Amino acid sequence: MTNIVILTGAGVSAESGLGTFRNTDGLWTEYDIEDVATPEGFARDPVLVHDFYNARRDNCLRARPNPAHYALARLEKKHSGPVHIITQNVDDLHERAGTRAVWHMHGELMRARCAACGHGWDAPRRMRAGAPCPACGNGATRPDVVWFGEMPFHMHEIPDLLRAADLFVSIGTSGNVYPAAAFVQDAARTGARTLELNLEPSAGARDFDETRQGPASALVPQWVEEVLGR
Ligand code: APR
């Protein structure tokens, strides 16, 4: 019974119309990471940061899952063994395609969090700086996403998931951001076969047993049918 662990990045949502980060018209070419994706940037200008995430939340609400998201939901449902999807994405397209268990290691656009008491709740469509926490009333409310310099979520469970993997598949990520970029080596070290499905070879492509290039909406359904057909 093959235990499959999948890591997804912005490329899996690209064909749903959500921007990626590092290509020519990526998000990091329009915004400065320092201003909108660091605790310091948020402290400096919370209105700018909320505007950035409100715009991304609007894009996400208008987007639809694509065949790659649906194929992964089908894999989780039909595969005889465990399937764990770890995503670097903050969108909810995996869930809207029907995937039940998603490990959002960089947090979720549709969630809000109180930095004072830790309370979490479903984010309103538009968050505003200083809005009071529904639990403690403090104004230290923020998008429930992980910024540069902060610890990704679920890093106590993810190493165990990787250790138990028989097959590790990376989909739509450039392999530039750690710790996610090292997951392939962690999984391979404990015996997993490794596969990369990406538009082009990632920075870590040489660490994979096999790499396939192409759009996720074509590669992922094809790969899922191979796995389910076995
Ligand atoms: N199908 C498959 N892959 C694609 C597609 C597509 N249609 N379109 C783009 N890609 C690939 C690109 O070739 C690139 O390798 O997806 C990857 C996207 O890379 P990035 O833009 O760097 O996004 P990602 O790897 O998810 O970034 C990781 O960095 O900024 C932080 O927190 C942010 O979670 C993000 C993290």
PDB file of all heavy atoms in Angstrom, residues 30-61:
ATOM      1  N   GLU A  30       5.690  42.654  -8.580  1.00  0.00           N
ATOM      2  CA  GLU A  30       4.800  43.817  -8.405  1.00  0.00           C
ATOM      3  C   GLU A  30       4.895  44.404  -7.000  1.00  0.00           C
ATOM      4  O   GLU A  30       4.675  45.579  -6.775  1.00  0.00           O
ATOM      5  CB  GLU A  30       3.341  43.377  -8.623  1.00  0.00           C
ATOM      6  CG  GLU A  30       2.986  42.957 -10.044  1.00  0.00           C
ATOM      7  CD  GLU A  30       1.618  42.251 -10.045  1.00  0.00           C
ATOM      8  OE1 GLU A  30       0.657  42.810  -9.483  1.00  0.00           O
ATOM      9  OE2 GLU A  30       1.563  41.129 -10.569  1.00  0.00           O
ATOM     10  N   TYR A  31       5.170  43.500  -6.046  1.00  0.00           N
ATOM     11  CA  TYR A  31       5.228  43.976  -4.649  1.00  0.00           C
ATOM     12  C   TYR A  31       6.594  43.630  -4.080  1.00  0.00           C
ATOM     13  O   TYR A  31       7.205  42.652  -4.486  1.00  0.00           O
ATOM     14  CB  TYR A  31       4.161  43.263  -3.798  1.00  0.00           C
ATOM     15  CG  TYR A  31       2.735  43.615  -4.135  1.00  0.00           C
ATOM     16  CD1 TYR A  31       2.038  42.901  -5.103  1.00  0.00           C
ATOM     17  CD2 TYR A  31       2.076  44.664  -3.497  1.00  0.00           C
ATOM     18  CE1 TYR A  31       0.721  43.213  -5.408  1.00  0.00           C
ATOM     19  CE2 TYR A  31       0.761  44.985  -3.798  1.00  0.00           C
ATOM     20  CZ  TYR A  31       0.091  44.253  -4.747  1.00  0.00           C
ATOM     21  OH  TYR A  31      -1.215  44.553  -5.048  1.00  0.00           O
ATOM     22  N   ASP A  32       7.030  44.391  -3.124  1.00  0.00           N
ATOM     23  CA  ASP A  32       8.289  44.085  -2.430  1.00  0.00           C
ATOM     24  C   ASP A  32       7.954  43.163  -1.255  1.00  0.00           C
ATOM     25  O   ASP A  32       7.137  43.531  -0.394  1.00  0.00           O
ATOM     26  CB  ASP A  32       8.925  45.387  -1.925  1.00  0.00           C
ATOM     27  CG  ASP A  32      10.293  45.120  -1.295  1.00  0.00           C
ATOM     28  OD1 ASP A  32      10.479  43.995  -0.770  1.00  0.00           O
ATOM     29  OD2 ASP A  32      11.144  46.021  -1.329  1.00  0.00           O
ATOM     30  N   ILE A  33       8.597  41.985  -1.270  1.00  0.00           N
ATOM     31  CA  ILE A  33       8.347  41.006  -0.193  1.00  0.00           C
ATOM     32  C   ILE A  33       8.455  41.675   1.170  1.00  0.00           C
ATOM     33  O   ILE A  33       7.616  41.488   2.055  1.00  0.00           O
ATOM     34  CB  ILE A  33       9.380  39.853  -0.288  1.00  0.00           C
ATOM     35  CG1 ILE A  33       9.067  38.928  -1.483  1.00  0.00           C
ATOM     36  CG2 ILE A  33       9.436  39.050   1.004  1.00  0.00           C
ATOM     37  CD1 ILE A  33      10.050  37.785  -1.663  1.00  0.00           C
ATOM     38  N   GLU A  34       9.471  42.534   1.305  1.00  0.00           N
ATOM     39  CA  GLU A  34       9.707  43.186   2.605  1.00  0.00           C
ATOM     40  C   GLU A  34       8.473  43.953   3.073  1.00  0.00           C
ATOM     41  O   GLU A  34       8.176  44.035   4.258  1.00  0.00           O
ATOM     42  CB  GLU A  34      10.884  44.189   2.477  1.00  0.00           C
ATOM     43  CG  GLU A  34      12.253  43.526   2.482  1.00  0.00           C
ATOM     44  CD  GLU A  34      12.460  42.700   3.738  1.00  0.00           C
ATOM     45  OE1 GLU A  34      12.114  43.169   4.839  1.00  0.00           O
ATOM     46  OE2 GLU A  34      12.930  41.550   3.599  1.00  0.00           O
ATOM     47  N   ASP A  35       7.750  44.536   2.105  1.00  0.00           N
ATOM     48  CA  ASP A  35       6.620  45.415   2.489  1.00  0.00           C
ATOM     49  C   ASP A  35       5.363  44.638   2.854  1.00  0.00           C
ATOM     50  O   ASP A  35       4.577  45.087   3.700  1.00  0.00           O
ATOM     51  CB  ASP A  35       6.279  46.360   1.324  1.00  0.00           C
ATOM     52  CG  ASP A  35       7.397  47.357   1.062  1.00  0.00           C
ATOM     53  OD1 ASP A  35       8.200  47.576   1.999  1.00  0.00           O
ATOM     54  OD2 ASP A  35       7.481  47.867  -0.073  1.00  0.00           O
ATOM     55  N   VAL A  36       5.149  43.487   2.161  1.00  0.00           N
ATOM     56  CA  VAL A  36       3.830  42.837   2.317  1.00  0.00           C
ATOM     57  C   VAL A  36       3.883  41.409   2.864  1.00  0.00           C
ATOM     58  O   VAL A  36       2.838  40.806   3.120  1.00  0.00           O
ATOM     59  CB  VAL A  36       3.074  42.810   0.964  1.00  0.00           C
ATOM     60  CG1 VAL A  36       2.716  44.210   0.512  1.00  0.00           C
ATOM     61  CG2 VAL A  36       3.888  42.064  -0.095  1.00  0.00           C
ATOM     62  N   ALA A  37       5.095  40.875   3.055  1.00  0.00           N
ATOM     63  CA  ALA A  37       5.159  39.461   3.500  1.00  0.00           C
ATOM     64  C   ALA A  37       6.215  39.254   4.585  1.00  0.00           C
ATOM     65  O   ALA A  37       6.896  38.228   4.620  1.00  0.00           O
ATOM     66  CB  ALA A  37       5.465  38.567   2.299  1.00  0.00           C
ATOM     67  N   THR A  38       6.341  40.284   5.456  1.00  0.00           N
ATOM     68  CA  THR A  38       7.218  40.147   6.638  1.00  0.00           C
ATOM     69  C   THR A  38       6.526  40.781   7.844  1.00  0.00           C
ATOM     70  O   THR A  38       5.716  41.713   7.677  1.00  0.00           O
ATOM     71  CB  THR A  38       8.560  40.894   6.452  1.00  0.00           C
ATOM     72  OG1 THR A  38       8.268  42.301   6.282  1.00  0.00           O
ATOM     73  CG2 THR A  38       9.345  40.376   5.250  1.00  0.00           C
ATOM     74  N   PRO A  39       6.814  40.293   9.064  1.00  0.00           N
ATOM     75  CA  PRO A  39       6.231  40.933  10.254  1.00  0.00           C
ATOM     76  C   PRO A  39       6.600  42.420  10.356  1.00  0.00           C
ATOM     77  O   PRO A  39       5.798  43.260  10.753  1.00  0.00           O
ATOM     78  CB  PRO A  39       6.842  40.133  11.408  1.00  0.00           C
ATOM     79  CG  PRO A  39       7.341  38.859  10.805  1.00  0.00           C
ATOM     80  CD  PRO A  39       7.689  39.162   9.381  1.00  0.00           C
ATOM     81  N   GLU A  40       7.828  42.746   9.911  1.00  0.00           N
ATOM     82  CA  GLU A  40       8.290  44.146   9.968  1.00  0.00           C
ATOM     83  C   GLU A  40       7.441  45.015   9.026  1.00  0.00           C
ATOM     84  O   GLU A  40       7.053  46.127   9.362  1.00  0.00           O
ATOM     85  CB  GLU A  40       9.777  44.244   9.567  1.00  0.00           C
ATOM     86  CG  GLU A  40      10.747  43.495  10.500  1.00  0.00           C
ATOM     87  CD  GLU A  40      10.748  41.982  10.286  1.00  0.00           C
ATOM     88  OE1 GLU A  40      10.202  41.502   9.258  1.00  0.00           O
ATOM     89  OE2 GLU A  40      11.241  41.271  11.194  1.00  0.00           O
ATOM     90  N   GLY A  41       7.154  44.467   7.844  1.00  0.00           N
ATOM     91  CA  GLY A  41       6.335  45.215   6.875  1.00  0.00           C
ATOM     92  C   GLY A  41       4.946  45.459   7.428  1.00  0.00           C
ATOM     93  O   GLY A  41       4.376  46.541   7.298  1.00  0.00           O
ATOM     94  N   PHE A  42       4.398  44.442   8.121  1.00  0.00           N
ATOM     95  CA  PHE A  42       3.052  44.569   8.688  1.00  0.00           C
ATOM     96  C   PHE A  42       3.048  45.602   9.808  1.00  0.00           C
ATOM     97  O   PHE A  42       2.149  46.433   9.903  1.00  0.00           O
ATOM     98  CB  PHE A  42       2.572  43.213   9.213  1.00  0.00           C
ATOM     99  CG  PHE A  42       1.149  43.205   9.719  1.00  0.00           C
ATOM    100  CD1 PHE A  42       0.092  43.479   8.859  1.00  0.00           C
ATOM    101  CD2 PHE A  42       0.868  42.938  11.055  1.00  0.00           C
ATOM    102  CE1 PHE A  42      -1.229  43.475   9.319  1.00  0.00           C
ATOM    103  CE2 PHE A  42      -0.443  42.924  11.521  1.00  0.00           C
ATOM    104  CZ  PHE A  42      -1.493  43.198  10.660  1.00  0.00           C
ATOM    105  N   ALA A  43       4.092  45.567  10.622  1.00  0.00           N
ATOM    106  CA  ALA A  43       4.180  46.554  11.725  1.00  0.00           C
ATOM    107  C   ALA A  43       4.309  47.974  11.156  1.00  0.00           C
ATOM    108  O   ALA A  43       3.712  48.915  11.668  1.00  0.00           O
ATOM    109  CB  ALA A  43       5.374  46.223  12.610  1.00  0.00           C
ATOM    110  N   ARG A  44       5.028  48.090  10.047  1.00  0.00           N
ATOM    111  CA  ARG A  44       5.292  49.404   9.440  1.00  0.00           C
ATOM    112  C   ARG A  44       4.026  49.966   8.790  1.00  0.00           C
ATOM    113  O   ARG A  44       3.663  51.111   8.982  1.00  0.00           O
ATOM    114  CB  ARG A  44       6.411  49.256   8.376  1.00  0.00           C
ATOM    115  CG  ARG A  44       7.143  50.489   8.045  1.00  0.00           C
ATOM    116  CD  ARG A  44       8.410  50.250   7.204  1.00  0.00           C
ATOM    117  NE  ARG A  44       8.315  49.217   6.187  1.00  0.00           N
ATOM    118  CZ  ARG A  44       9.029  48.075   6.201  1.00  0.00           C
ATOM    119  NH1 ARG A  44       9.824  47.831   7.238  1.00  0.00           N
ATOM    120  NH2 ARG A  44       8.918  47.178   5.246  1.00  0.00           N
ATOM    121  N   ASP A  45       3.311  49.078   8.048  1.00  0.00           N
ATOM    122  CA  ASP A  45       2.150  49.579   7.299  1.00  0.00           C
ATOM    123  C   ASP A  45       1.078  48.493   7.167  1.00  0.00           C
ATOM    124  O   ASP A  45       0.939  47.856   6.119  1.00  0.00           O
ATOM    125  CB  ASP A  45       2.604  50.038   5.897  1.00  0.00           C
ATOM    126  CG  ASP A  45       1.470  50.747   5.153  1.00  0.00           C
ATOM    127  OD1 ASP A  45       0.311  50.655   5.618  1.00  0.00           O
ATOM    128  OD2 ASP A  45       1.747  51.376   4.105  1.00  0.00           O
ATOM    129  N   PRO A  46       0.311  48.257   8.246  1.00  0.00           N
ATOM    130  CA  PRO A  46      -0.706  47.197   8.225  1.00  0.00           C
ATOM    131  C   PRO A  46      -1.791  47.424   7.183  1.00  0.00           C
ATOM    132  O   PRO A  46      -2.350  46.468   6.632  1.00  0.00           O
ATOM    133  CB  PRO A  46      -1.282  47.215   9.639  1.00  0.00           C
ATOM    134  CG  PRO A  46      -0.919  48.535  10.228  1.00  0.00           C
ATOM    135  CD  PRO A  46       0.341  48.970   9.565  1.00  0.00           C
ATOM    136  N   VAL A  47      -2.049  48.683   6.834  1.00  0.00           N
ATOM    137  CA  VAL A  47      -3.076  48.951   5.818  1.00  0.00           C
ATOM    138  C   VAL A  47      -2.628  48.406   4.465  1.00  0.00           C
ATOM    139  O   VAL A  47      -3.380  47.718   3.776  1.00  0.00           O
ATOM    140  CB  VAL A  47      -3.366  50.480   5.730  1.00  0.00           C
ATOM    141  CG1 VAL A  47      -4.313  50.773   4.563  1.00  0.00           C
ATOM    142  CG2 VAL A  47      -3.962  50.972   7.047  1.00  0.00           C
ATOM    143  N   LEU A  48      -1.344  48.650   4.101  1.00  0.00           N
ATOM    144  CA  LEU A  48      -0.810  48.145   2.824  1.00  0.00           C
ATOM    145  C   LEU A  48      -0.880  46.612   2.796  1.00  0.00           C
ATOM    146  O   LEU A  48      -1.306  46.001   1.804  1.00  0.00           O
ATOM    147  CB  LEU A  48       0.646  48.589   2.638  1.00  0.00           C
ATOM    148  CG  LEU A  48       1.384  47.962   1.456  1.00  0.00           C
ATOM    149  CD1 LEU A  48       0.840  48.484   0.125  1.00  0.00           C
ATOM    150  CD2 LEU A  48       2.893  48.213   1.547  1.00  0.00           C
ATOM    151  N   VAL A  49      -0.505  45.993   3.919  1.00  0.00           N
ATOM    152  CA  VAL A  49      -0.482  44.519   3.955  1.00  0.00           C
ATOM    153  C   VAL A  49      -1.889  43.961   3.846  1.00  0.00           C
ATOM    154  O   VAL A  49      -2.146  43.037   3.070  1.00  0.00           O
ATOM    155  CB  VAL A  49       0.228  44.024   5.238  1.00  0.00           C
ATOM    156  CG1 VAL A  49       0.115  42.505   5.357  1.00  0.00           C
ATOM    157  CG2 VAL A  49       1.691  44.479   5.230  1.00  0.00           C
ATOM    158  N   HIS A  50      -2.851  44.569   4.576  1.00  0.00           N
ATOM    159  CA  HIS A  50      -4.233  44.091   4.438  1.00  0.00           C
ATOM    160  C   HIS A  50      -4.740  44.325   3.011  1.00  0.00           C
ATOM    161  O   HIS A  50      -5.425  43.457   2.442  1.00  0.00           O
ATOM    162  CB  HIS A  50      -5.142  44.796   5.453  1.00  0.00           C
ATOM    163  CG  HIS A  50      -5.113  44.167   6.813  1.00  0.00           C
ATOM    164  ND1 HIS A  50      -5.455  42.859   7.046  1.00  0.00           N
ATOM    165  CD2 HIS A  50      -4.763  44.673   8.018  1.00  0.00           C
ATOM    166  CE1 HIS A  50      -5.323  42.577   8.336  1.00  0.00           C
ATOM    167  NE2 HIS A  50      -4.904  43.662   8.957  1.00  0.00           N
ATOM    168  N   ASP A  51      -4.372  45.451   2.394  1.00  0.00           N
ATOM    169  CA  ASP A  51      -4.799  45.675   0.992  1.00  0.00           C
ATOM    170  C   ASP A  51      -4.272  44.555   0.089  1.00  0.00           C
ATOM    171  O   ASP A  51      -4.984  44.024  -0.767  1.00  0.00           O
ATOM    172  CB  ASP A  51      -4.273  47.030   0.476  1.00  0.00           C
ATOM    173  CG  ASP A  51      -5.047  48.212   1.054  1.00  0.00           C
ATOM    174  OD1 ASP A  51      -6.095  47.969   1.702  1.00  0.00           O
ATOM    175  OD2 ASP A  51      -4.598  49.366   0.859  1.00  0.00           O
ATOM    176  N   PHE A  52      -3.007  44.177   0.312  1.00  0.00           N
ATOM    177  CA  PHE A  52      -2.375  43.117  -0.502  1.00  0.00           C
ATOM    178  C   PHE A  52      -3.135  41.805  -0.343  1.00  0.00           C
ATOM    179  O   PHE A  52      -3.509  41.161  -1.330  1.00  0.00           O
ATOM    180  CB  PHE A  52      -0.915  42.968  -0.056  1.00  0.00           C
ATOM    181  CG  PHE A  52      -0.156  41.842  -0.703  1.00  0.00           C
ATOM    182  CD1 PHE A  52       0.105  41.847  -2.066  1.00  0.00           C
ATOM    183  CD2 PHE A  52       0.290  40.759   0.058  1.00  0.00           C
ATOM    184  CE1 PHE A  52       0.819  40.809  -2.668  1.00  0.00           C
ATOM    185  CE2 PHE A  52       0.995  39.717  -0.529  1.00  0.00           C
ATOM    186  CZ  PHE A  52       1.256  39.745  -1.891  1.00  0.00           C
ATOM    187  N   TYR A  53      -3.414  41.437   0.913  1.00  0.00           N
ATOM    188  CA  TYR A  53      -4.088  40.149   1.132  1.00  0.00           C
ATOM    189  C   TYR A  53      -5.580  40.220   0.784  1.00  0.00           C
ATOM    190  O   TYR A  53      -6.166  39.240   0.326  1.00  0.00           O
ATOM    191  CB  TYR A  53      -3.846  39.647   2.569  1.00  0.00           C
ATOM    192  CG  TYR A  53      -2.444  39.116   2.719  1.00  0.00           C
ATOM    193  CD1 TYR A  53      -1.438  39.910   3.254  1.00  0.00           C
ATOM    194  CD2 TYR A  53      -2.112  37.857   2.218  1.00  0.00           C
ATOM    195  CE1 TYR A  53      -0.130  39.450   3.330  1.00  0.00           C
ATOM    196  CE2 TYR A  53      -0.808  37.390   2.290  1.00  0.00           C
ATOM    197  CZ  TYR A  53       0.189  38.188   2.838  1.00  0.00           C
ATOM    198  OH  TYR A  53       1.476  37.732   2.885  1.00  0.00           O
ATOM    199  N   ASN A  54      -6.194  41.401   0.948  1.00  0.00           N
ATOM    200  CA  ASN A  54      -7.596  41.538   0.519  1.00  0.00           C
ATOM    201  C   ASN A  54      -7.706  41.339  -0.995  1.00  0.00           C
ATOM    202  O   ASN A  54      -8.619  40.660  -1.481  1.00  0.00           O
ATOM    203  CB  ASN A  54      -8.144  42.918   0.910  1.00  0.00           C
ATOM    204  CG  ASN A  54      -8.382  43.050   2.409  1.00  0.00           C
ATOM    205  OD1 ASN A  54      -8.522  42.032   3.111  1.00  0.00           O
ATOM    206  ND2 ASN A  54      -8.397  44.273   2.910  1.00  0.00           N
ATOM    207  N   ALA A  55      -6.703  41.869  -1.740  1.00  0.00           N
ATOM    208  CA  ALA A  55      -6.720  41.709  -3.207  1.00  0.00           C
ATOM    209  C   ALA A  55      -6.521  40.240  -3.575  1.00  0.00           C
ATOM    210  O   ALA A  55      -7.213  39.692  -4.446  1.00  0.00           O
ATOM    211  CB  ALA A  55      -5.609  42.561  -3.830  1.00  0.00           C
ATOM    212  N   ARG A  56      -5.611  39.559  -2.864  1.00  0.00           N
ATOM    213  CA  ARG A  56      -5.379  38.121  -3.146  1.00  0.00           C
ATOM    214  C   ARG A  56      -6.590  37.301  -2.741  1.00  0.00           C
ATOM    215  O   ARG A  56      -6.935  36.312  -3.392  1.00  0.00           O
ATOM    216  CB  ARG A  56      -4.125  37.648  -2.410  1.00  0.00           C
ATOM    217  CG  ARG A  56      -2.837  38.248  -2.977  1.00  0.00           C
ATOM    218  CD  ARG A  56      -1.612  37.702  -2.297  1.00  0.00           C
ATOM    219  NE  ARG A  56      -1.437  36.278  -2.594  1.00  0.00           N
ATOM    220  CZ  ARG A  56      -0.545  35.528  -1.938  1.00  0.00           C
ATOM    221  NH1 ARG A  56       0.188  36.064  -0.968  1.00  0.00           N
ATOM    222  NH2 ARG A  56      -0.393  34.252  -2.232  1.00  0.00           N
ATOM    223  N   ARG A  57      -7.281  37.700  -1.665  1.00  0.00           N
ATOM    224  CA  ARG A  57      -8.478  36.965  -1.232  1.00  0.00           C
ATOM    225  C   ARG A  57      -9.575  37.137  -2.285  1.00  0.00           C
ATOM    226  O   ARG A  57     -10.246  36.170  -2.661  1.00  0.00           O
ATOM    227  CB  ARG A  57      -8.947  37.498   0.131  1.00  0.00           C
ATOM    228  CG  ARG A  57      -9.836  36.563   0.903  1.00  0.00           C
ATOM    229  CD  ARG A  57     -10.103  37.042   2.325  1.00  0.00           C
ATOM    230  NE  ARG A  57      -8.905  37.035   3.171  1.00  0.00           N
ATOM    231  CZ  ARG A  57      -8.296  38.115   3.623  1.00  0.00           C
ATOM    232  NH1 ARG A  57      -8.757  39.313   3.306  1.00  0.00           N
ATOM    233  NH2 ARG A  57      -7.217  38.027   4.377  1.00  0.00           N
ATOM    234  N   ASP A  58      -9.714  38.357  -2.834  1.00  0.00           N
ATOM    235  CA  ASP A  58     -10.698  38.573  -3.912  1.00  0.00           C
ATOM    236  C   ASP A  58     -10.381  37.676  -5.114  1.00  0.00           C
ATOM    237  O   ASP A  58     -11.256  37.014  -5.668  1.00  0.00           O
ATOM    238  CB  ASP A  58     -10.658  40.039  -4.380  1.00  0.00           C
ATOM    239  CG  ASP A  58     -11.527  40.927  -3.494  1.00  0.00           C
ATOM    240  OD1 ASP A  58     -12.341  40.370  -2.711  1.00  0.00           O
ATOM    241  OD2 ASP A  58     -11.395  42.153  -3.568  1.00  0.00           O
ATOM    242  N   ASN A  59      -9.075  37.663  -5.513  1.00  0.00           N
ATOM    243  CA  ASN A  59      -8.682  36.811  -6.655  1.00  0.00           C
ATOM    244  C   ASN A  59      -9.032  35.350  -6.378  1.00  0.00           C
ATOM    245  O   ASN A  59      -9.545  34.640  -7.236  1.00  0.00           O
ATOM    246  CB  ASN A  59      -7.163  36.893  -6.886  1.00  0.00           C
ATOM    247  CG  ASN A  59      -6.747  38.250  -7.433  1.00  0.00           C
ATOM    248  OD1 ASN A  59      -7.589  38.999  -7.931  1.00  0.00           O
ATOM    249  ND2 ASN A  59      -5.455  38.553  -7.341  1.00  0.00           N
ATOM    250  N   CYS A  60      -8.772  34.941  -5.144  1.00  0.00           N
ATOM    251  CA  CYS A  60      -8.999  33.532  -4.784  1.00  0.00           C
ATOM    252  C   CYS A  60     -10.478  33.197  -4.837  1.00  0.00           C
ATOM    253  O   CYS A  60     -10.885  32.155  -5.357  1.00  0.00           O
ATOM    254  CB  CYS A  60      -8.435  33.282  -3.386  1.00  0.00           C
ATOM    255  SG  CYS A  60      -8.496  31.573  -2.895  1.00  0.00           S
ATOM    256  N   LEU A  61     -11.318  34.110  -4.355  1.00  0.00           N
ATOM    257  CA  LEU A  61     -12.768  33.863  -4.349  1.00  0.00           C
ATOM    258  C   LEU A  61     -13.307  33.793  -5.776  1.00  0.00           C
ATOM    259  O   LEU A  61     -14.254  33.065  -6.066  1.00  0.00           O
ATOM    260  CB  LEU A  61     -13.480  34.965  -3.554  1.00  0.00           C
ATOM    261  CG  LEU A  61     -13.295  34.881  -2.029  1.00  0.00           C
ATOM    262  CD1 LEU A  61     -13.746  36.180  -1.361  1.00  0.00           C
ATOM    263  CD2 LEU A  61     -14.038  33.684  -1.462  1.00  0.00           C
TER     264      LEU A  61
END
